[in-house]
Amino acid sequence: MKPKIAVIGLGYVGLPLARLFATKYPVIGFDINIQRVKELQSGTDVTLEVDDIELKNVLQTSPKMEKGLFCSNNQSNLADCNYYIITVPTPVDSTNRPILTPLFKASETVGKVLKKGDIVVYESTVYPGATEEECVPVLEQVSGLSFNTDFYVGYSPERINPGDKEHTVEKILKVTSGSTLEIGHKVDELYASVIVAGTHLAPTIRVAEAAKVIENSQRDINIAFVNELAKIFNLLNIDTHHVLEAASTKWNFLPFKPGLVGGHCIGVDPYYLAQKAQAHGYHPEIILAGRRMNDGMGKYVATEVVKLMVQKDIKVKDSKILVLGITFKENCPDVRNTKAVDVINNLKSYGTNITIYDPWADEKEVKIEYGLDTTKEPPLEKFDAVILTVAHQQFLKLDLKSFLADSSLIYDVKGILKESVDARL
């Protein structure tokens, strides 16, 4: 039987995957956000992950098709599918505890249309064991079918890098797995048919889950180490970036840089592994220490800026500060779990007036998510301080001096500015 694929969740992960599969198979893209579905069916992706021309090339006007993509929020359109790929987000709450609600809801949606022989593949980042321990029972309960008898499950962790137009989904090697050996091979064959970079079939779902969660935990810990170095070298009046450049001349030195660590992956995934470890009686010292270091960098940057302002006799209270960038990373509109907000909120606690300029961020989304006003256009006024928090390509072309008052400063969080700055992280 030819695969007919349903992709549940059409965000930064789901849409690129659905578009890719649609070049070869019939694909139903399902999302509960009606506005998102309407935009996609019109050929527009506001996340900018899929080029509008590429999207329009695969779009179909009916769910009955030989190949292509039909986007819908109508659950009935899922009934004819035999592969269901779940790509919903897995965030954490205010206390950094994993939120599995989107996974449960997506599993319920699939469970209502699940049939004998169907395969459900999860791509969302979870802790080892979550797919079989948390998601499968929902599928069984809602569908009335038996796991590994009537239906099967796979896990293939997403490796999407938002804003990266070089490492697109088909060019990133894909880890696959299945609930049985036979299903593992079926899942692997499906992905291998469109992923030109190749696939790696993991022996079990738990291995694939663990591999995903440690990928970002490893990066998180390495960045935390460099952030700690930046704090130490700042006290010693040594430029951290000069140190890293010198150290990078050794062939096996890892080129991590200090900065704000947010987003939906590196800033979140370590908490999933940490919670699972704690549930088994082990307190993960290094993982949580790295998280504490990186979660505290927004406050650190704000404090350093205030110190510099005091040293330059700039009145802090009622001062005007320009923040360049609020997305979680450069050249992408994603504002989920952005740590630039930590810098802004800490500066606001000193009574400063903040202007946020970001040509990528959606103003309405930032307002709803964080209660902050932003602008997509460069401001015309002068400021007491300018802080570059995100390395958008547009910022490299700016004349930052045009934003500065007579006595003012520039703080470069990303360490990318070539012109003279007062400090950088």
Side-chain angles (χ1 to χ4, degrees):
M1 181 184 297
K2 181 179 180 179
K4 183 172 183 179
I5 303 166
V7 176
I8 314 299
L10 297 176
Y12 285 85
V13 173
L15 180 63
L17 185 69
R19 200 273 328 162
L20 179 61
F21 273 125
T23 61
K24 190 169 184 177
Y25 304 105
V27 179
I28 301 295
F30 180 85
D31 202 290
I32 59 174
N33 186 329
I34 298 176
Q35 182 60 33
R36 174 70 169 158
V37 169
K38 288 181 179 178
E39 290 171 349
L40 292 177
Q41 271 302 112
S42 71
T44 300
D45 173 28
V46 296
T47 71
L48 305 179
E49 286 303 300
V50 173
D51 181 81
D52 287 353
I53 295 177
E54 289 186 335
L55 178 58
K56 290 176 181 177
N57 284 341
V58 297
L59 280 177
Q60 300 292 327
T61 57
S62 168
K64 304 295 183 180
M65 54 194 164
E66 288 300 314
K67 71 174 182 179
L69 173 64
F70 180 78
C71 300
S72 173
N73 68 310
N74 188 340
Q75 186 178 293
S76 65
N77 288 324
L78 303 174
D80 294 334
C81 297
N82 46 36
Y83 280 89
Y84 297 90
I85 302 178
I86 294 178
T87 59
V88 296
T90 45
V92 294
D93 63 18
S94 59
T95 62
N96 294 319
R97 293 182 61 83
I99 300 174
L100 297 180
T101 305
L103 271 183
F104 294 151
K105 294 294 184 182
S107 299
E108 289 174 2
T109 297
V110 171
K112 292 174 182 177
V113 295
L114 202 59
K115 308 173 298 301
K116 286 189 176 183
D118 288 350
I119 298 174
V120 184
V121 181
Y122 290 85
E123 288 215 1
S124 307
T125 301
V126 291
Y127 52 77
T131 299
E132 292 160 298
E133 295 168 10
E134 302 288 349
C135 299
V136 166
V138 176
L139 293 172
E140 286 188 309
Q141 181 180 5
V142 175
S143 69
L145 301 176
S146 296
F147 175 50
N148 274 348
T149 300
D150 299 321
F151 72 92
Y152 306 89
V153 167
Y155 184 79
S156 181
E158 61 89 2
R159 282 177 167 172
I160 294 293
N161 187 25
D164 189 339
K165 301 308 178 185
E166 179 181 353
H167 301 96
T168 50
V169 59
E170 68 271 21
K171 298 176 184 176
I172 303 173
L173 194 144
K174 204 82 163 69
V175 173
T176 60
S177 64
S179 54
T180 69
L181 182 61
E182 180 185 359
I183 296 304
H185 283 291
K186 283 189 174 182
V187 172
D188 190 70
E189 288 171 5
L190 180 70
Y191 280 96
S193 68
V194 293
I195 303 292
V196 297
T199 59
H200 172 87
L201 178 58
T204 67
I205 286 176
R206 290 168 67 90
V207 167
E209 291 169 326
K212 169 58 181 175
V213 80
I214 71 166
E215 289 174 15
N216 288 325
S217 296
Q218 183 187 65
R219 284 184 56 78
D220 193 44
I221 291 167
N222 277 289
I223 297 171
F225 170 62
V226 178
N227 275 336
E228 185 163 66
L229 292 180
K231 289 184 176 182
I232 294 170
F233 294 144
N234 182 53
L235 292 172
L236 300 177
N237 197 29
I238 300 173
D239 189 306
T240 303
H241 292 269
H242 289 165
V243 175
L244 295 176
E245 287 171 7
S248 293
T249 58
K250 189 180 181 186
W251 70 92
N252 59 354
F253 184 81
L254 300 178
F256 288 93
K257 295 181 180 180
L260 304 171
V261 186
H264 54 96
C265 290
I266 300 178
V268 171
D269 295 354
Y271 288 120
Y272 278 77
L273 184 56
Q275 187 204 46
K276 189 65 173 178
Q278 289 169 327
H280 283 258
Y282 181 81
H283 183 74
E285 299 283 354
I286 295 175
I287 293 173
L288 291 179
R291 277 285 77 230
R292 285 193 299 271
M293 172 61 66
N294 288 338
D295 277 345
M297 291 307 292
K299 182 177 181 180
Y300 174 79
V301 168
T303 301
E304 290 300 299
V305 170
V306 170
K307 284 181 181 178
L308 286 169
M309 293 175 72
V310 172
Q311 292 170 7
K312 293 174 72 77
D313 292 325
I314 302 172
K315 183 182 177 183
V316 176
K317 187 176 180 181
D318 296 325
S319 62
K320 296 165 64 177
I321 298 177
L322 174 62
V323 173
L324 299 176
I326 196 171
T327 60
F328 93 88
K329 64 175 292 187
E330 66 276 4
N331 306 324
C332 130
D334 196 346
V335 297
R336 289 176 294 173
N337 191 37
T338 172
K339 296 304 177 182
V341 169
D342 292 351
V343 177
I344 293 164
N345 288 337
N346 275 280
L347 286 171
K348 281 191 167 188
S349 70
Y350 289 94
T352 62
N353 298 301
I354 306 292
T355 296
I356 306 165
Y357 165 42
D358 194 313
W360 287 82
D362 182 271
E363 293 137 304
K364 291 182 180 178
E365 185 180 0
V366 175
K367 185 68 173 179
I368 292 171
E369 187 72 21
Y370 301 107
L372 296 171
D373 294 315
T374 61
T375 176
K376 285 180 173 288
E377 300 298 328
L380 301 176
E381 56 191 309
K382 302 290 186 180
F383 297 89
D384 299 299
V386 175
I387 308 172
L388 185 138
T389 53
V390 186
H392 291 319
Q393 56 191 9
Q394 289 93 332
F395 295 158
L396 297 176
K397 303 174 184 177
L398 287 176
D399 177 15
L400 295 185
K401 293 180 180 178
S402 67
F403 298 122
L404 301 179
D406 292 336
S407 179
S408 54
L409 64 92
I410 300 173
Y411 192 99
D412 181 8
V413 174
K414 299 296 293 184
I416 62 165
L417 298 177
K418 295 181 179 180
E419 64 180 279
S420 177
V421 297
D422 293 271
R424 58 181 179 173
L425 187 59

